[in-house]
Amino acid sequence: QKEVEQDPGPLSVPEGAIVSLNCTYSNSAFQYFMWYRQYSRKGPELLMYTYSSGNKEDGRFTAQVDKSSKYISLFIRDSQPSDSATYLCAGLMDTGRRALTFGSGTRLQVQP
Amino acid sequence: ETGVTQSPTHLIKTRGQQVTLRCSSQSGHNTVSWYQQALGQGPQFIFQYYREEENGRGNFPPRFSGLQFPNYSSELNVNALELDDSALYLCASSRSGRVSHNEQFFGPGTRLTVL
């Protein structure tokens, strides 16, 4: 079993839709949770990170972490064609190995 | 775009050869991590360097080795290349010792093809 599981998609939505991207994880030691966006043939770009459980909002993006169910979500409001990319979630421990553990990514397509 | 740069952009090698990939970290960052991303997969952690010393290693064989220099730039070396080493190699820099040290910023990657 992978430590971070993510539906690979593709997820296709019309422009303006609310998008929900989700991950589950199994490592209870994860304290930080990140969302990265990766365009084709580019490096991942950090969108948001949250510490422990709770919500964090940044513009059209909202990240949620529920540690009790080991569930991570990213919501995108008013989605745009420029949001079309692969979205990667990742977990990070607070101590010990400072390595991001990624899911396999969800490919999102926003249709104009 | 982040201030992390990587070279070369693309590389083609044959099985058994050796390769060196390079990374310059973002200004003010003292930690460099290397990841391997196979097609359709998420990045996998190879190792991390902090102040010129290895600070953690993933499940990769010893033929994957690295260095970090006093200016915090880094190299990834892979010996005895295998076909499965074909991937995008990503370097991420971060700043240790502060809250923001958990934010890792990635470079554009080096795409390695092994024939």
Side-chain angles (χ1 to χ4, degrees):
Chain A
Q1 183 193 9
K2 290 185 177 180
E3 286 187 280
V4 180
E5 299 274 6
Q6 195 172 3
D7 188 328
L11 178 62
S12 183
V13 301
E15 183 175 354
I18 296 175
V19 176
S20 172
L21 301 167
N22 307 296
C23 292
T24 58
Y25 66 94
S26 58
N27 190 338
S28 300
F30 289 156
Q31 291 289 339
Y32 293 89
F33 302 90
M34 279 74 166
W35 283 97
Y36 284 84
R37 177 175 63 194
Q38 186 173 27
Y39 292 111
S40 182
R41 299 187 173 275
K42 301 285 188 183
E45 171 195 7
L46 179 63
L47 281 176
M48 300 182 70
Y49 81 95
T50 54
Y51 175 71
S52 194
S53 284
N55 294 357
K56 188 173 184 179
E57 189 173 320
D58 185 1
R60 297 185 295 111
F61 299 89
T62 299
Q64 280 185 358
V65 176
D66 182 346
K67 293 194 74 180
S68 63
S69 59
K70 296 189 174 63
Y71 201 79
I72 314 164
S73 299
L74 178 71
F75 298 97
I76 307 174
R77 290 181 298 280
D78 188 26
S79 56
Q80 303 294 310
S82 59
D83 295 327
S84 298
T86 295
Y87 289 80
L88 297 156
C89 62
L92 179 70
M93 292 186 285
D94 198 14
T95 58
R97 199 177 83 167
R98 301 288 192 173
L100 291 165
T101 302
F102 283 91
S104 56
T106 298
R107 192 153 60 92
L108 172 67
Q109 295 173 338
V110 181
Q111 307 292 344
Chain B
E1 291 203 357
T2 69
V4 182
T5 60
Q6 292 186 244
S7 63
T9 307
H10 297 90
L11 205 50
I12 299 175
K13 292 285 189 178
T14 56
R15 272 188 308 174
Q17 285 190 310
Q18 177 265 343
V19 69
T20 298
L21 310 182
R22 295 178 175 84
C23 170
S24 291
S25 59
Q26 189 165 308
S27 177
H29 286 185
N30 56 14
T31 301
V32 172
S33 305
W34 286 91
Y35 293 81
Q36 180 196 64
Q37 187 176 24
L39 199 61
Q41 300 297 315
Q44 277 198 297
F45 175 69
I46 303 174
F47 43 56
Q48 182 179 89
Y49 278 85
Y50 170 62
R51 292 185 175 177
E52 302 178 58
E53 292 195 0
E54 190 178 288
N55 185 40
R57 188 180 183 92
N59 189 25
F60 280 81
R63 59 189 185 84
F64 285 78
S65 62
L67 281 173
Q68 187 180 32
F69 300 100
N71 66 355
Y72 303 126
S73 66
S74 178
E75 284 183 357
L76 164 65
N77 299 291
V78 187
N79 292 322
L81 284 167
E82 301 178 358
L83 296 179
D84 284 348
D85 295 334
S86 296
L88 181 68
Y89 287 85
L90 295 160
C91 163
S93 78
S94 55
R95 184 168 46 191
S96 262
R98 302 176 56 166
V99 171
S100 61
H101 77 284
N102 294 300
E103 298 178 59
Q104 297 187 21
F105 297 91
F106 284 83
T110 293
R111 186 161 298 279
L112 173 65
T113 302
V114 182
L115 302 176

